Amino acid sequence: MIQRFSFGHPFPTQSVVLSLPAESGPVPFLTPDGSGWRFPLSEQAAVYGLGEMPRGINKRGWHYVTNNTDEARHSEDKLSYYGAHNFLLIDGGAGRECFGVFIDFPGKVRYDIGYTEYDALRFATEEPDHELYIITGDDLNDISRQFRQLIGRSYIPPKWAFGLAQSRFGYKTAEDVREVARQYKENDLPLDMICMDIEYMQDYADFTVNKERFSDLAKLSADLKAQGIRLVPIIDAGVRIDPKNPVCAEGLANGFFCTKADGTPFVAAVWPGKAYFADFLRPEVREWFGHKYKALTDCGIEGFWNDMNEPSLFYSPERLRAFLNDMAALREKDNIEQEEFFPRVVGGAMGLMNSPADYASFYHEVDGQKVRHDQVHNLYGGIWLGDNNSSWAQLLANIQMMPSVQMCGFLYSGADLCGFSSDTTPDLALRWLEFGLLTPLMRNHSAVGTRMQEYYRFPEVLPAVRNMIRLRYALLPYLYSEFMKAALENTSYFRPLAFDYPDDPDAREVEDQLLLGEGLMAAPVYVQNAHGRHVYLPESMKLLRLRAVDDYDEEILPAGHHYIRCALDEVLLFLRPGHIIPVAQPANSTSELDDTSLTLWSFLPDGESAEYRMYRDDGVTTEYEKKEHWKTLQIHHS
């Protein structure tokens, strides 16, 4: 059951697709002054959700602010990351109440989840106008399913987007891109996508191509597609200020950009320097901007990577000028003591980027009314797991963040494999791949100036890397089917063990193992130099210690705690009893994958049968809107 409570005059965020009447009775757990919400937490209670946030799967014990933030330093002290997902699942523990909470509010929401008071959860919106939804159901999976129905279907990408993507901030020419494709082929490594960062643009302007570096983008795209590889270029939120650029000129002529209080276009700098920002809250602006992608689709481009849409700002001219004037005044001093150096010099420079004052200085137009950006800031923001770094801690964070993001409806997501900033190592690259081969978005991405980390650059682990990438493609009949079930039926792709084993106190504390679809459990190794790990099994399962799709050991293990050896070139997967996993022969790309000739992995007692619903469509069109594409696979263990 979903209850809706309305406060004041909520902004129409369009986040909810179900039409529900507002409740007229009292709001459960509202604070006496009406400023927020407080719920008592039992000692056993766990709190899930909040999507892209730090600190594990159970969010209890910390405080958070949902506020889209371009935050490259993913440390535990942070309160906000790139996206804002105001959904919580409160699990009271065995035999106790569980329910969901969704706060439909486009500005900041502050959460105190057992931080100030360990036995209390509090939240409050920055302004009083919001919608509050309280969801009750049979269990955590049911509540999660109802929430997903409330907010509407998750994004479904084309099937080729489930292949491996290779990306880097640093592919400067068409030849750089061709060399990546060539090396993947020469090293017998499957590949479906090469992502192009801002270097392909002319002066970092959206929907332009640098003709010196990429003389014939259409031919490059066609040549790669003939090899089963798609080009995926980046598009940024900021439109370069250039009167000769048609996007800039049209946006100005039609008044499509966000404005300052005086009605003039708001200006801030990002990659191209000074830029305007399209007012995406207006449907006519969204339509106009969307048609601009034709400049690239005409070149054969079929997919895009939208970036910097928190939106991220490097500086505004006004605040940069004030900072430089302040530095000029300091220049006259012979000695700058630390009381001035840190707040004025360091703090002033760092405060230029994504300044709250800048976000409060520009406006959108909504139904003829001006709305200040910071009050609707969280309506922006595309989702992946952010600019992480090459560290073992970030691999664990990837594992823990996936179920949180997905229960909030963002199924097609993943981390920058190997890490975006800093220098990766061969063992970290391989261990991260051993988890990344299971995530819907599987992209190796890195920053300019870091160690080159394309998978063919690690000869000491190349055979194992090859086997792991091939394993991803072999598992696609299962992974794609489980993704489509999650998208079409509002179920879960990744989920914590507690969701399926709510009465098991040990399962509720596991934060480094994930259930994957209906039949698998993943237990990645995420510790440097580790040759195994502890695993908790809530029930008897079949262990697959995989070195390759056709090279593995299997063992049936009883429920309980186990230490399991796992060499660097192995990945641990567990089959749940009564389930089937369809496995194909590996392929060089999704277009070459044959899902008609399958091997079935299973864990069935003697004399028992099982079925598996495998999803098969054309992988490109929206056929799923018109009819079902299920094929039933059966197996009998005699």
Side-chain angles (χ1 to χ4, degrees), residues 207-267:
F207 312 116
T208 65
V209 177
N210 185 312
K211 295 298 185 180
E212 291 184 4
R213 294 180 174 185
F214 293 84
S215 60
D216 193 338
L217 187 63
K219 186 176 189 310
L220 176 63
S221 175
D223 289 349
L224 291 181
K225 190 174 179 182
Q227 303 175 47
I229 301 171
R230 263 81 171 184
L231 275 181
V232 180
I234 196 172
I235 292 292
D236 282 340
V239 175
R240 177 185 172 87
I241 296 180
D242 179 359
K244 298 178 182 178
N245 182 289
V247 179
C248 176
E250 288 177 24
L252 279 177
N254 291 285
F256 284 163
F257 297 129
C258 293
T259 63
K260 297 189 290 188
D262 62 6
T264 60
F266 170 73
V267 176

Side-chain angles (χ1 to χ4, degrees), residues 342-420:
F342 285 101
R344 293 180 66 183
V345 180
V346 178
M350 296 304 295
L352 291 173
M353 190 169 183
N354 303 319
S355 165
D358 284 334
Y359 288 132
S361 71
F362 69 96
Y363 293 80
H364 301 270
E365 182 184 308
V366 180
D367 297 329
Q369 302 295 315
K370 284 194 175 298
V371 178
R372 208 172 72 194
H373 174 79
D374 62 331
Q375 297 174 344
V376 293
H377 177 69
N378 289 340
L379 293 181
Y380 279 60
I383 294 303
W384 92 120
L385 299 189
D387 286 338
N388 58 12
N389 61 74
S390 298
S391 69
W392 295 89
Q394 289 292 285
L395 169 53
L396 176 58
N398 181 189
I399 297 164
Q400 295 175 332
M401 205 180 293
M402 286 305 298
S404 299
V405 169
Q406 292 200 331
M407 70 178 71
C408 292
F410 292 87
L411 296 179
Y412 185 71
S413 190
D416 291 344
L417 303 183
C418 307
F420 176 70

Side-chain angles (χ1 to χ4, degrees), residues 170-185:
Y171 297 152
K172 296 182 180 299
T173 66
E175 182 52 36
D176 288 345
V177 174
R178 290 184 185 276
E179 179 63 15
V180 171
R182 187 159 44 243
Q183 289 292 342
Y184 265 90
K185 294 299 180 184

Side-chain angles (χ1 to χ4, degrees), residues 304-347:
F304 300 91
W305 160 28
N306 293 309
D307 197 38
M308 303 289 284
N309 56 355
E310 288 75 29
S312 182
L313 311 176
F314 290 172
Y315 64 86
S316 66
E318 297 85 354
R319 252 158 286 285
L320 177 61
R321 190 177 306 113
F323 171 72
L324 294 177
N325 288 339
D326 193 35
M327 294 303 99
L330 284 179
R331 187 174 57 189
E332 305 303 319
K333 303 186 71 170
D334 291 332
N335 182 40
I336 302 175
E337 296 182 352
Q338 62 93 12
E339 287 87 354
E340 286 187 305
F341 177 76
F342 285 101
R344 293 180 66 183
V345 180
V346 178

Side-chain angles (χ1 to χ4, degrees), residues 149-161:
Q149 288 177 322
L150 180 71
I151 62 173
R153 179 178 291 166
S154 299
Y155 166 66
I156 298 176
K159 193 170 184 179
W160 56 260

Side-chain angles (χ1 to χ4, degrees), residues 107 117 121 171 193 202 204 308 315 346 459-460 465 479 483:
E117 305 172 80
L121 182 159
Y171 297 152
M193 295 171 276
Q202 181 65 51
Y204 305 135
M308 303 289 284
Y315 64 86
V346 178
E460 58 268 60
V465 163
L479 301 179
F483 182 94

